[in-house]
């Protein structure tokens, strides 16, 4: 893959891009622990939204609610203008939401093409028996990975022989193959080297360039946020305390916000002290 890493190479999201997902006033607790407090987010068609925050800020709980693993205690979810509720991950997928977690859910001793179609295998009838159509899955996997610009030497290779970046790309490709409208990536660059991260970032840039899939990206590296994302939502102690377009803020401001002590009042005070960003 030869990613175009500069955000200037990609047209900005149009102002008329519709909101396809809205989570309003979401709260969630686990016993005495409050994970989310009145969280509201919006996601537009084709947008790449960075969801950032320290460990324990509530990011995982939020995406698990959106993925159908948890149900909120309060609040609503609206998908494409209709209020929905997800009782299970299958419900979320039926509304076009696919999630790639850090563990990738790949089977190491299976081939790339078997992993691509895991749970939705193609089959053929041979002498009255239902057998896997390995040839068809092999050909479709090769074609699809090539179309996405993902370089895998052989789709016959087992996943455990791939690099971390290649495995991450296969997991993302498998989710995209399901034709989602929303793709959630849970720290896809964790534990990856510079070259491997470039492969994954290039794939996200491709999705952003085409603007046909909306992406929620959980990421810790602020530089990467400004490379591939349109907007930032910052979670702290279960609250969204900062929501800004990447074109209207900077990595320096984001670092200043983190050092401010977070919280809405701290962020407002830090912004007032720093003054407007230079043009």
């Amino acid at each position: 893959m030869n990613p175009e890493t500069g955000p200037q190479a990609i047209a900005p999201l149009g102002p008329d891009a519709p909101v396809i997902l809205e989570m309003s006033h979401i709260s969630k607790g686990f016993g005495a622990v409050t994970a989310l407090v009145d969280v509201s987010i919006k996601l537009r068609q084709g947008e790449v939204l960075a969801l950032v925050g320290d460990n324990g800020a509530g990011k995982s709980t939020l995406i698990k609610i959106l993925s159908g693993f948890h149900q909120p205690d309060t609040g609503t979810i609206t998908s494409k203008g209709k209020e929905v509720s997800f009782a299970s991950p299958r419900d979320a997928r039926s509304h076009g939401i696919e999630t790639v977690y850090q563990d990738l859910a790949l089977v190491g001793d299976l081939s790339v093409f078997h992993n691509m179609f895991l749970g939705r295998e193609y089959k053929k009838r041979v002498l009255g028996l239902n057998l896997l159509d390995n040839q068809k899955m092999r050909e479709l996997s090769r074609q699809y990975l090539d179309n996405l610009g993902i370089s895998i030497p052989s789709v016959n290779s087992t996943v455990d022989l791939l690099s971390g970046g290649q495995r991450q790309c296969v997991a993302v490709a498998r989710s995209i193959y399901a034709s989602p409208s929303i793709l959630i990536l849970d720290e896809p660059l964790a534990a990856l080297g510079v070259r491997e991260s470039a492969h994954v970032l290039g794939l996200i840039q491709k999705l952003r360039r085409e603007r046909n899939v909306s992406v929620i990206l959980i990421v810790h590296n602020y530089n990467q946020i400004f490379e591939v994302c349109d907007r930032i939502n910052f979670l702290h102690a279960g609250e969204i305390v900062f929501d800004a377009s990447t074109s209207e803020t900077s990595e320096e401001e984001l670092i200043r916000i983190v050092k401010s002590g977070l919280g809405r009042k701290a962020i407002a005070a830090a912004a007032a002290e720093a003054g407007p960003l230079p043009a």
Side-chain angles (χ1 to χ4, degrees):
M1 182 185 300
N2 296 309
E4 295 178 28
T5 55
Q8 71 277 5
I10 297 176
L13 190 68
D16 57 345
V19 173
I20 64 165
L21 176 78
E22 187 167 1
M23 302 178 76
S24 303
H25 308 293
I26 299 292
S27 297
K28 180 66 177 178
F30 299 94
V33 177
T34 300
L36 296 173
V37 182
D38 197 34
V39 169
S40 296
I41 68 170
K42 291 183 180 180
L43 183 67
R44 294 190 292 166
Q45 174 65 48
E47 185 174 41
V48 180
L49 171 66
L51 187 61
V52 298
D54 292 334
N55 291 334
K59 303 186 301 296
S60 293
T61 300
L62 187 64
I63 66 168
K64 284 182 178 178
I65 288 174
L66 189 52
S67 302
F69 280 100
H70 296 319
Q71 286 72 50
D73 296 332
T74 63
T76 59
I77 301 174
T78 304
S79 174
K80 300 175 183 177
K82 296 182 179 180
E83 186 173 326
V84 296
S85 61
F86 305 141
S88 69
R90 179 172 293 184
D91 282 350
R93 291 191 191 102
S94 71
H95 284 84
I97 300 172
E98 289 282 340
T99 305
V100 180
Y101 293 100
Q102 289 185 58
D103 62 8
L104 304 183
L106 299 176
V107 181
D109 57 359
L110 289 182
S111 68
V112 170
F113 76 84
H114 280 127
N115 271 279
M116 280 289 294
F117 290 96
L118 195 63
R120 51 173 181 256
E121 293 85 357
Y122 281 97
K123 296 183 179 180
K124 59 183 179 181
R125 296 284 291 181
V126 177
L127 299 177
L129 300 175
N130 269 329
L131 302 178
L132 293 178
D133 193 342
N134 290 321
Q135 181 177 350
K136 183 174 183 177
M137 290 188 289
R138 188 181 292 112
E139 291 173 353
L140 289 174
S141 295
R142 180 76 277 165
Q143 179 182 17
Y144 196 68
L145 293 171
D146 287 346
N147 288 342
L148 288 175
I150 298 173
S151 178
I152 303 293
S154 173
V155 295
N156 294 315
S157 299
T158 57
V159 162
D160 56 11
L161 296 178
L162 302 181
S163 70
Q166 288 172 324
R167 287 195 294 269
Q168 186 68 251
C169 285
V170 168
V172 173
R174 182 177 66 183
S175 293
I176 297 172
Y177 193 80
S179 299
S181 55
I182 297 170
L183 180 63
I184 303 171
L185 303 178
D186 183 9
E187 298 193 42
L189 307 175
L192 296 186
V194 174
R195 174 179 286 187
E196 294 178 331
S197 293
H199 284 294
V200 181
L201 288 171
L203 182 53
I204 296 169
Q205 287 285 44
K206 180 177 176 64
L207 296 176
R208 185 176 177 221
R209 187 179 299 109
E210 295 173 351
R211 297 295 191 189
N212 55 5
V213 178
S214 302
V215 180
I216 297 177
L217 179 66
I218 295 180
V219 63
H220 286 292
N221 186 308
Y222 298 157
N223 179 262
Q224 292 165 344
I225 291 171
F226 289 90
E227 184 175 344
V228 299
C229 296
D230 299 291
R231 195 160 52 90
I232 307 166
N233 275 192
F234 205 107
L235 262 171
H236 173 65
E239 296 183 85
I240 298 286
V241 295
F242 183 69
D243 180 354
S245 166
T246 52
S247 64
E248 296 174 350
T249 185
S250 66
E251 186 176 350
E252 291 74 20
E253 184 182 18
L254 194 54
I255 293 172
R256 187 170 71 227
I257 286 169
V258 174
K259 291 181 177 179
S260 73
L262 300 171
R264 299 179 192 272
K265 292 183 179 179
I267 287 175
E273 181 180 346
L277 288 172

